[in-house]
DNA sequence: TAAACTAGGCGTATTACATCA
DNA sequence: CATGATGTAATACGCCTAGTT
């Protein structure tokens, strides 16, 4: 006798999953509840959500070959098999989306970045530890002036306490590669080289963080214009905004990885349990087989698990008699399964892929 | 047109600092 | 007050793409 359990597409939702947050990709993947076929797209890189491509300011949708290459592995096949979206949150990958409107260096050269390179005196920050290394002139003025003065009050608020301060590389951080240790030594500064270049790390104010956070929800990467706008609005240096977004992306990814890990663990536990149960079921069936010699006389019969009703049905083998098969009672009715998929948990408040209209200005 | 070069962005790992228990 | 843990701003580096020469 041949036994085959086919655990396939089931229309039953898995109770286990009911509590799991829905994923962004559910609609796309048809929200199918499928069993036992796992395609685990485990990767350090985020797979992309619905909007795989981001329209940049020029309106041209594209995905760079490299990006495509990177993400290709995680692109879900159109199969109806279970798809574990392990990294579903992944917002758009706007990477490279800015390239088409990359500003020339001169276009975005910021006076305060160069003017104050290395010229920010340690004592310029003001009271106590509150050395506002980040502060550029506008902010300083803002601080000195009344909160109700000319500058927009919003901008004013952020100007009061802008932190950070290591970004002495005037935006072109890559130039370290070219310029080598000189720059590094310079930027590192030190006690002996105390021209204000010491790496000071000041926390961003709540308002600044909140604003950045809001911005991150809308788009998790920045084009140069957005960066500049944010920097201006928050009285930060563009480099700080850029760094914040980089770190923010890293944190998001880390968090998602943790979630995925936890989720996989649960998957594993559930599948182990399911496996145990099926093994037991199999043993019972075998025991039944030996206790009912009637079936022994039947030719090979395939027992198939009906995916919809979850009953074990007999599939008549070529030589079996239909009458005998029909007489065979249903052998078992398995308990409802609780597969932990396909809904992988997902971080909340993740930026969605969306065409960035504000880039149109660029 | 292809190749080399340049500039800028991003991801990742790591460091350094601030804060808190 | 000292100290370790934690969070996060900042740096370093490699890789990639697009634009320019």
């Amino acid at each position: 006798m041949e036994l085959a359990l086919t655990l396939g597409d089931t229309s039953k939702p898995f109770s286990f999953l009911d509590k799991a947050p829905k994923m962004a990709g559910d609609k796309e993947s048809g929200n199918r509840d499928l069993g036992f076929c796992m395609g685990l797209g485990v990767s350090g890189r985020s797979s992309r959500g619905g909007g795989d491509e981001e329209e940049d300011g020029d309106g041209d949708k594209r995905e760079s070959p490299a990006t495509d290459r990177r993400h290709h592995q995680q692109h879900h096949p159109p199969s109806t098999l279970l798809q574990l979206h392990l990294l579903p949150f992944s917002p758009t990958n706007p990477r490279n989306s800015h390239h088409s409107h990359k500003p020339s260096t001169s276009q975005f050269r910021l006076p305060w970045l160069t003017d104050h390179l290395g010229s920010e005196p340690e004592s310029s920050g003001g009271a106590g530890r509150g050395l506002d290394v980040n502060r550029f002139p506008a902010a300083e003025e803002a601080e000195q002036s009344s909160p109700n003065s000319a500058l927009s009050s919003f901008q004013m608020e952020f100007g009061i306490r802008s932190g950070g301060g290591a970004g002495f590389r005037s935006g072109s951080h890559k130039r370290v590669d070219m310029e080598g240790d000189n720059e590094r030594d310079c930027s590192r500064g030190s006690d002996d080289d105390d021209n204000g270049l010491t790496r000071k790390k000041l926390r961003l104010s709540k308002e600044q963080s909140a604003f950045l956070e809001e911005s991150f929800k809308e788009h998790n990467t920045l084009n140069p214009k957005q960066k500049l706008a944010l920097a201006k609005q928050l009285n930060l240096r563009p480099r700080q905004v850029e760094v914040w977004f980089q770190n923010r992306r890293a944190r998001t990814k880390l968090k998602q990885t943790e979630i995925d890990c936890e989720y996989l663990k649960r998957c594993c536990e559930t599948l182990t349990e399911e496996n145990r149960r099926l093994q037991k079921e199999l043993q019972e069936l075998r025991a039944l087989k030996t206790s009912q010699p009637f079936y022994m006389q039947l030719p090979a019969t395939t027992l198939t698990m009906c995916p919809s009703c979850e009953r074990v049905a007999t599939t008549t083998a070529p030589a079996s008699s239909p009458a005998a098969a029909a007489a065979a009672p249903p052998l078992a009715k398995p308990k409802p399964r609780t597969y932990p998929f396909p809904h992988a948990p997902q971080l909340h408040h993740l930026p969605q892929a969306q065409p960035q209209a504000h880039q149109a200005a660029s």
Side-chain angles (χ1 to χ4, degrees), chain A residues 30-94:
Chain A
N31 202 10
R32 308 287 295 272
D33 294 313
L34 307 166
F36 252 9
C37 296
M38 295 174 62
L40 303 183
V42 184
S43 163
R45 305 237 180 213
S46 307
S47 64
R48 321 252 299 261
D52 265 2
E53 296 151 326
E54 184 177 1
E55 192 170 339
D56 66 14
D58 298 320
D60 55 335
K61 281 186 168 182
R62 66 186 166 74
E63 178 164 21
S64 69
T67 308
D68 193 26
R69 196 166 56 244
R70 278 182 192 158
H71 296 277
H72 188 69
Q73 298 164 332
Q74 293 125 352
H75 283 170
H76 308 300
S79 155
T80 56
L81 292 178
L82 169 71
Q83 297 168 27
L84 263 186
H85 300 260
L86 297 177
L87 300 165
F89 80 91
S90 87
T92 173
N93 183 356

Side-chain angles (χ1 to χ4, degrees), chain A residues 135-350:
Chain A
R135 190 180 307 142
F136 41 90
E140 198 143 345
E141 284 174 25
E143 186 172 2
Q144 288 167 2
S145 60
S146 135
N148 298 323
S149 64
L151 277 175
S152 84
S153 58
F154 187 70
Q155 196 171 338
M156 284 292 305
E157 287 178 20
F158 293 126
I160 302 304
R161 184 181 173 268
S162 43
F168 301 103
R169 305 161 77 193
S170 72
S172 184
H173 56 288
K174 290 303 290 295
R175 301 289 66 76
V176 167
D177 298 334
M178 310 295 178
E179 297 168 17
D181 294 332
N182 289 341
E183 169 106 18
R184 192 171 311 160
D185 293 341
C186 177
S187 67
R188 281 303 174 87
S190 66
D191 296 338
D192 38 48
D193 176 22
D194 199 10
N195 55 354
L197 295 185
T198 50
R199 180 179 176 175
K200 289 287 180 184
K201 195 183 102 179
L202 299 182
R203 282 187 123 69
L204 303 180
S205 70
K206 276 183 182 175
E207 290 82 6
Q208 286 171 322
S209 295
F211 195 81
L212 288 167
E213 199 67 46
E214 283 303 309
S215 185
F216 185 80
K217 283 180 191 172
E218 292 179 23
H219 37 79
N220 71 337
T221 53
L222 293 171
N223 63 30
K225 281 227 161 191
Q226 293 171 322
K227 191 202 300 180
L228 279 178
L230 265 179
K232 194 174 179 183
Q233 201 157 15
L234 301 178
N235 269 330
L236 295 172
R237 280 171 288 105
R239 172 65 181 158
Q240 282 180 289
V241 174
E242 179 182 322
V243 165
W244 188 91
F245 268 74
Q246 278 177 4
N247 286 323
R248 185 64 179 78
R249 283 191 294 268
R251 283 196 294 272
T252 300
K253 186 180 175 188
L254 185 65
K255 201 132 198 168
Q256 184 62 44
T257 302
E258 287 172 3
I259 291 174
D260 292 340
C261 200
E262 196 58 34
Y263 175 70
L264 273 180
K265 228 184 322 184
R266 280 178 7 206
C267 280
C268 187
E269 288 167 7
T270 306
L271 288 173
T272 302
E273 178 57 34
E274 174 72 2
N275 186 41
R276 215 184 336 259
R277 198 182 63 74
L278 288 172
Q279 293 283 354
K280 191 179 166 192
E281 206 171 292
L282 181 59
Q283 280 193 345
E284 288 172 3
L285 289 170
R286 283 181 173 147
L288 194 64
K289 182 188 83 174
T290 54
S291 66
Q292 298 188 17
F294 168 73
Y295 293 110
M296 291 294 290
Q297 299 162 5
L298 292 176
T301 300
T302 301
L303 297 179
T304 305
M305 179 80 74
C306 171
S308 55
C309 66
E310 292 199 342
R311 282 172 174 269
V312 174
T314 57
T315 304
T316 56
S320 72
S321 107
L331 295 179
K333 181 181 180 182
K335 300 158 198 156
R337 293 189 186 80
T338 54
Y339 296 127
F341 32 75
H343 304 305
Q346 184 184 6
L347 279 177
H348 302 296
H349 304 310
L350 294 165

